[in-house]
Amino acid sequence: MIVDDQYYDVIIVGTGAGGGTLARKLAPTGKKILILERGVFPLRESSEAQDIELFKKETFHAPEQWYDENGEPFRPQTSYCVGGNTKIYSGVLMRMRDRDFETVQHQDGISPAWGLKYSDFEPYYTEAEKLYQVHGKLGDDPTEPAHSEDYSFPPVEHESHIQTVVDGLSKQDIHPAYLPIGLGDQGRTDAEDTGITPALKYENVTLKTSAHVVCLHTNPSGTAIKAVQAKIGDQSYLFLGDIVVLSCGAINSAALLLRSQNEKHPNGIANSSDQVGRNLMKQQLSVVVQLTTDPNSALFQRTVSVNDFYWGDKHYHYPMGHVQNAGGILRDVIFTEAPPVFSAISRLLPSVGIRQLATRSLGWWLQTEDLPNPNNRIRFVGDKLHIDFTQSNVEAHDRLVYRWIDTLKQVESLHPGMFNRVSHPRSDMPVQVVAHQCGTCRFGEDPKTSVLDLNCRAHEVDNLYVVDSSFFPSNSSISPALTVIANALRVGEHLIERLK
């Protein structure tokens, strides 16, 4: 074991939306900051990943095995590289609705209230939107919460096929809205170009890649983290620091805490409440495909969202969820890694090649909130990581799918020559697709029912923080990315005061 000869004020583990943003926030303080990243710099931007063969090669699947609740192994679709999952995300950066922070009744149960409210996050949402260059437009979405400032960048215009659908939706008294999306000079903004790269311009910031953190070590009393153990190549290193921040993703942050058990923390660090690893949430994610008679480029951005069914409708008085277009299929990395979508279309049109199908398809993502369940959890059997997960709100999601397909049919009836209306294939994302994972280290004021306090500091460990989506007590029906970024900025402000 090699003990690093440097001592750091802050050690950040992970470079995704939380860790990368926090590094950018703390870099100007002059404090000595170490960033540890399991992966390396990616070879190319996600927006350049236009090879339809990606899904066959499992390019963005982690080089390890996890196990489902039946003990079956799988390779998770998650990204270990500088920038984390923001290197393969869609770039959609949407605020949670103000009601998402309150107690919400769903058909399958309660979505619990947060210890903080929308007003507590609002200034950090604004800061995050400026930092990640979010393009958007206010006033079209009836569920949009109040903004203290307008978007700094104009919305991205719709591709012609999407514009046709948008016009048809408006005729049905539906409210299509421009999708807020982070875009810079190089394409989608992410935690590498917006967080890590600017942070590394400061001499006080050090990044070590290929550094797989395997254990946290506490002081003898168990009240503080004294060292972070990482494997770099074939050698183990110990890094010492005053404050340790985890941003490994909801699954891996919880797994690291569980693996780091010791005499003072026999069930895992910060886990006397037995809440670490529990309440894993992962939205129900489905894709519905429209087939068109004429081709599109298959390279356009996502641009439109529909939240008319977010809180339900006159036929169903429980929340259903969020709809957005999938963007050009050749540009959407996660979409291209979803073989069920293409196999569904291929069964309908077996004589047409996959690339041609991609240019004659419009995809729609449908997202429904998953409720916290303590039995949905991360656990270890020996050294094997198991994911126990059962979805909730299944009927609500099915209703959203059927309602959306009916809505698309109404649009298509206005343009019978433009759409192939033979079917609308649907594909549901399995547990292996860990997009939008959250929970596992929820924050709250009661140490008996939460892992972190409202500043995302572990109740039991004074210098340990978690800034990925682990802290979510509920997960809404939209992407957690912007809320993770805003929270990292909020926690960063707290840490700046503490570091003084």
Side-chain angles (χ1 to χ4, degrees):
M1 183 85 67
I2 298 175
V3 180
D4 186 58
D5 60 2
Q6 304 289 320
Y7 193 90
Y8 300 93
D9 295 297
V10 182
I11 300 175
I12 300 173
V13 183
T15 59
T21 303
L22 181 65
R24 168 77 178 266
K25 181 78 171 183
L26 298 182
T29 63
K31 298 296 183 180
K32 202 167 187 178
I33 299 168
L34 172 65
I35 308 166
L36 298 174
E37 168 55 49
R38 180 172 179 173
V40 297
F41 282 95
L43 295 177
R44 59 183 177 180
E45 298 289 337
S46 60
S47 59
E48 296 174 353
Q50 299 168 1
D51 184 356
I52 204 68
E53 299 301 310
L54 283 174
F55 78 92
K56 293 180 179 179
K57 300 172 184 176
E58 294 190 334
T59 303
F60 296 104
H61 288 237
E64 61 183 350
Q65 281 192 341
W66 295 352
Y67 296 81
D68 65 21
E69 59 188 358
N70 298 316
E72 294 297 322
F74 65 90
R75 290 181 63 203
Q77 184 184 308
T78 191
S79 178
Y80 295 154
C81 67
V82 177
N85 281 331
T86 67
K87 299 305 294 185
I88 60 171
Y89 81 149
S90 64
V92 173
L93 293 171
M94 180 176 284
R95 300 184 180 203
M96 286 172 54
R97 317 290 92 173
D98 45 4
R99 277 181 59 191
D100 283 324
F101 292 87
E102 309 292 342
T103 301
V104 178
Q105 179 68 57
H106 293 254
Q107 180 173 346
D108 283 5
I110 295 291
S111 179
W114 289 40
L116 299 175
K117 303 305 178 187
Y118 173 77
S119 59
D120 296 306
F121 280 86
E122 199 286 330
Y124 303 104
Y125 276 137
T126 299
E127 183 181 355
E129 287 163 351
K130 291 178 180 179
L131 186 64
Y132 278 76
Q133 302 179 59
V134 176
H135 292 59
K137 180 177 180 291
L138 297 179
D140 295 336
D141 185 346
T143 71
E144 180 75 18
H147 286 228
S148 58
E149 297 182 32
D150 201 348
Y151 291 107
S152 299
F153 301 90
V156 181
E157 295 302 319
H158 305 308
E159 186 270 349
S160 61
H161 290 78
I162 298 299
Q163 184 65 60
T164 298
V165 176
V166 167
D167 294 341
L169 292 173
S170 298
K171 293 177 181 179
Q172 298 182 60
D173 199 28
I174 300 293
H175 301 82
Y178 284 103
L179 195 63
I181 186 164
L183 287 175
D185 294 337
Q186 303 300 317
R188 298 166 184 166
T189 50
D190 57 49
E192 178 196 357
D193 60 40
T194 308
I196 296 300
T197 298
L200 291 177
K201 294 179 181 178
Y202 292 83
E203 293 182 355
N204 53 300
V205 179
T206 301
L207 169 67
K208 292 186 182 295
T209 57
S210 299
H212 182 194
V213 174
V214 295
C215 189
L216 304 178
H217 298 277
T218 68
N219 59 5
S221 63
T223 58
I225 304 297
K226 299 307 294 182
V228 175
Q229 181 179 341
K231 187 175 182 182
I232 303 176
D234 295 327
Q235 186 63 58
S236 289
Y237 291 80
L238 283 181
F239 299 97
L240 310 180
D242 283 336
I243 293 173
V244 175
V245 185
L246 302 186
S247 183
C248 313
I251 292 173
N252 277 314
S253 285
L256 177 58
L257 294 176
L258 292 172
R259 278 200 307 264
S260 300
Q261 75 270 17
N262 58 30
E263 183 180 351
K264 294 296 182 180
H265 298 275
N267 298 317
I269 287 180
N271 195 30
S272 65
S273 63
D274 192 32
Q275 293 298 303
V276 172
R278 293 188 181 273
N279 298 296
L280 171 66
M281 294 170 283
K282 192 180 80 69
Q283 294 163 353
Q284 291 199 59
L285 295 168
S286 295
V287 175
V288 169
V289 177
Q290 275 183 297
L291 302 177
T292 62
T293 56
D294 58 329
N296 61 72
S297 69
L299 294 174
F300 53 90
Q301 295 284 356
R302 301 188 189 198
T303 57
V304 63
S305 68
V306 174
N307 285 319
D308 290 71
F309 319 118
Y310 198 92
W311 301 117
D313 63 14
K314 63 182 180 180
H315 303 294
Y316 186 73
H317 302 300
Y318 298 104
M320 284 190 277
H322 166 77
V323 179
Q324 62 182 252
N325 73 306
I329 292 175
L330 294 181
R331 172 165 265 166
D332 196 316
V333 175
I334 295 178
F335 191 74
T336 60
E337 287 219 277
V341 177
F342 292 106
S343 62
I345 306 174
S346 297
R347 286 196 297 271
L348 291 170
L349 302 171
S351 62
V352 180
I354 288 178
R355 183 172 291 276
Q356 186 176 355
L357 284 171
T359 63
R360 294 179 182 270
S361 303
L362 301 179
W364 297 92
W365 278 107
L366 284 72
Q367 303 170 189
T368 298
E369 180 170 353
D370 178 42
L371 300 178
N373 177 350
N375 295 320
N376 284 350
R377 62 181 301 195
I378 290 89
R379 61 185 174 89
F380 281 94
V381 178
D383 60 353
K384 295 179 179 178
L385 190 154
H386 285 245
I387 308 293
D388 295 340
F389 186 77
T390 301
Q391 289 180 322
S392 61
N393 277 336
V394 174
E395 181 177 345
H397 188 65
D398 287 343
R399 284 178 176 267
L400 178 64
V401 172
Y402 301 145
R403 184 74 171 84
W404 185 243
I405 290 175
D406 287 343
T407 300
L408 292 179
K409 287 179 178 178
Q410 293 298 315
V411 172
E412 292 165 358
S413 68
L414 302 174
H415 305 276
M418 184 175 179
F419 296 97
N420 183 340
R421 295 181 287 167
V422 62
S423 182
H424 295 82
R426 166 186 176 178
S427 177
D428 301 328
M429 300 300 103
V431 69
Q432 290 88 341
V433 179
V434 296
H436 299 189
Q437 56 177 291
C438 58
T440 71
C441 295
R442 55 166 56 175
F443 81 162
E445 297 177 283
D446 186 354
K448 295 180 181 178
T449 58
S450 59
V451 178
L452 310 171
D453 69 13
L454 296 184
N455 287 320
C456 291
R457 181 186 65 82
H459 288 297
E460 304 168 41
V461 185
D462 178 66
N463 65 338
L464 174 64
Y465 292 79
V466 183
V467 297
D468 53 36
S469 57
S470 302
F471 83 96
F472 282 42
S474 67
N475 77 337
S476 78
S477 291
I478 62 166
S479 165
L482 186 67
T483 301
V484 172
I485 292 167
N487 184 64
L489 295 171
R490 183 183 71 89
V491 174
E493 196 169 275
H494 160 79
L495 289 175
I496 289 171
E497 289 300 312
R498 175 169 176 165
L499 288 166
K500 289 179 180 179

